[in-house]
Amino acid sequence: MCAKEKPVNILGIETSCDETAAAVVAGGKIIKFSVVASQTKLHEKYGGVVPEIASRAHIEKIYQVIAEAISQAEVSKDDIDAIAVANQPGLTVALVVGVTAAKTLSFAWDKPLIAINHLHAHIQSAIFNERSIKLPAVALIVSGGHTSLYDYQSPLEPKLLGSTIDDAAGEAFDKVATILKLPYPGGPAIEKIARKGNPDAIRFPRSMLGAESLDFSFSGIKTAVLYYCRGQDMKGENRIDSMDEKEIADIAASFQAAVVDVLVKKTRLAAEKIGAETVLLGGGVAANTELRIAVQQMCDSTASAKKLFVAPKQYCTDNAVMVASLAYHKFKAGLFADLTLEPKVTS
Ligand code: KG4
Ligand code: ZN
């Protein structure tokens, strides 16, 4: 009888924006423990992430979060096979905290270091639990900082097909929420009030950037909402304070419908272009129920039906499970970083 192979345990660390997260994942799939310390309360009064505040909060929390992941996972440092960290893209002052912690542990514990692209990790969050998927796949990653479409052939090298030329989809949700005086983060707040609104009430623009383009632009729709509330070129009075809940709900629902419409159309176009058999959906905005439903409908209604894999809601927003899970594939491929690893603002 051959001895059972010990699964590879990876400690993942994530600090690219406003969540300080750590997780221990075995064999790329089994979540031994995951912890996310959210900074939402610190940033909400500014209506967005303030980099300096994010960086300080990561420094305060990073030790505690890593220690908690390891102790709750009931592993010791000897059971950890590698340390993985998201080193790009993100806020440099935030990334540097996770990268420094990961390099320190890698050196002190003599464990291999694995560098992870945060967006590629978001793709992984849609499939970390799956045994196999039919390829090629199109991956749509929609977050606060990015909106990107990928041709996904392997976990190691997703190929970028298109991305936003201005605001990310999540950023548009957050900014429109600020205009509508809804709480931060805007995505969940808009989704909640939009349930009471009519998505056909206002026809906000859908920027497609040309019939064949796989890039996105969401700054126009944000401005359209602003002008709707404040008059063209902001020359009118701010009507928000005098609007009743129904009118705000109609604006939120109509805005959400326009964003979802663009995301779904571009994903369909990308799927057609690469002959995708599968669609993957991840990132914070992928927690949005209307988007999840619309992408599912698109997958079911195309001539050759596509299978959709969506990240579980708790792993749509930033977390370290996706980092540790993707790192497993890099571990198997022997793709390690060294102590010169640095954070990178872009990918
Ligand atoms: O992936 P994520 O946690 O951070 C980045 O990598 O940027 O995404 C955060 C974004 C925020 O803009 C937030 O408003 C948006 O995801 N978001 C949502 C929902 N939940 C979070 N957007 C729409 N609907 C939601 N339910
Ligand atoms: Zn993210």
Side-chain angles (χ1 to χ4, degrees):
M1 205 172 76
C2 58
K4 225 175 161 193
E5 221 178 283
K6 182 181 153 293
V8 173
N9 285 319
I10 297 186
L11 169 67
I13 300 171
E14 157 64 46
T15 63
S16 66
C17 190
D18 60 342
E19 325 277 6
T20 318
V24 177
V25 177
K29 291 184 192 312
I30 301 157
I31 303 166
K32 293 203 156 177
F33 199 75
S34 164
V35 51
V36 179
S38 172
Q39 303 175 1
T40 302
K41 285 266 161 288
L42 300 176
H43 300 290
E44 68 184 347
K45 68 170 173 245
Y46 304 101
V49 177
V50 182
E52 186 59 30
I53 293 175
S55 181
R56 281 165 189 267
H58 285 310
I59 292 167
E60 270 167 32
K61 288 276 179 205
I62 189 78
Y63 170 75
Q64 186 185 319
V65 160
I66 293 173
E68 187 181 344
I70 291 175
S71 76
Q72 295 292 334
E74 296 183 356
V75 292
S76 74
K77 73 175 169 46
D78 297 335
D79 302 318
I80 303 280
D81 296 290
I83 317 287
V85 63
N87 77 311
Q88 62 170 310
L91 303 169
T92 315
V93 291
L95 288 164
V96 74
V97 179
V99 169
T100 306
K103 289 202 291 192
T104 307
L105 289 178
S106 164
F107 180 72
W109 293 354
D110 194 20
K111 308 281 177 187
L113 179 67
I114 300 175
I116 293 295
N117 178 306
H118 175 85
L119 298 176
H120 298 176
H122 269 305
I123 302 178
Q124 183 67 15
S125 66
I127 45 173
F128 72 87
N129 241 335
E130 304 301 326
R131 239 171 232 292
S132 66
I133 60 165
K134 280 192 181 169
L135 298 172
V138 152
L140 172 66
I141 298 307
V142 261
S143 72
H146 297 84
T147 305
S148 306
L149 277 166
Y150 292 89
D151 176 351
Y152 179 91
Q153 309 269 359
S154 100
L156 301 179
E157 277 180 67
K159 200 171 135 245
L160 189 66
L161 295 170
S163 57
T164 183
I165 60 165
D166 43 52
D167 292 355
E171 196 179 347
F173 270 95
D174 294 336
K175 287 178 175 169
V176 165
T178 304
I179 297 168
L180 299 180
K181 299 197 173 175
L182 296 172
Y184 174 82
I190 287 189
E191 173 167 17
K192 187 168 171 221
I193 195 166
R195 285 190 210 116
K196 299 179 191 160
N198 172 9
D200 299 318
I202 308 144
R203 178 80 192 169
F204 286 124
R206 276 104 168 122
S207 171
M208 299 306 287
L209 301 172
E212 289 302 308
S213 172
L214 293 177
D215 287 329
F216 300 89
S217 166
F218 291 109
S219 71
I221 184 166
K222 172 198 66 189
T223 310
V225 174
L226 188 64
Y227 288 176
Y228 184 86
C229 299
R230 306 278 307 263
Q232 183 66 30
D233 298 324
M234 291 189 50
K235 288 199 174 120
E237 63 174 292
N238 193 350
R239 296 195 303 112
I240 281 294
D241 292 331
S242 57
M243 283 180 190
D244 62 15
E245 195 193 35
K246 175 74 177 101
E247 192 172 359
I248 294 176
D250 281 348
I251 298 171
S254 301
F255 160 77
Q256 179 175 264
V259 173
V260 167
D261 209 12
V262 173
L263 292 172
V264 170
K265 285 198 173 114
K266 298 268 178 185
T267 307
R268 179 198 289 265
L269 179 62
E272 278 165 11
K273 279 197 176 174
I274 68 158
E277 302 249 13
T278 303
V279 174
L280 312 176
L281 178 59
V285 182
N288 186 281
T289 304
E290 290 306 313
L291 177 62
R292 294 165 89 94
I293 293 171
V295 176
Q296 183 66 64
Q297 282 169 347
M298 182 275 284
C299 288
D300 295 342
S301 68
T302 48
S304 58
K306 296 162 202 349
K307 183 131 173 67
L308 173 66
F309 294 95
V310 193
K313 282 201 179 180
Q314 76 266 39
Y315 299 120
C316 283
T317 44
D318 291 347
N319 64 86
V321 168
M322 63 188 195
V323 172
S325 176
L326 178 55
Y328 173 69
H329 296 276
K330 291 191 117 180
F331 183 92
K332 282 198 306 182
L335 296 172
F336 299 113
D338 61 31
L339 296 180
T340 63
L341 184 70
E342 285 188 2
K344 265 176 76 184
V345 71
T346 53
S347 52

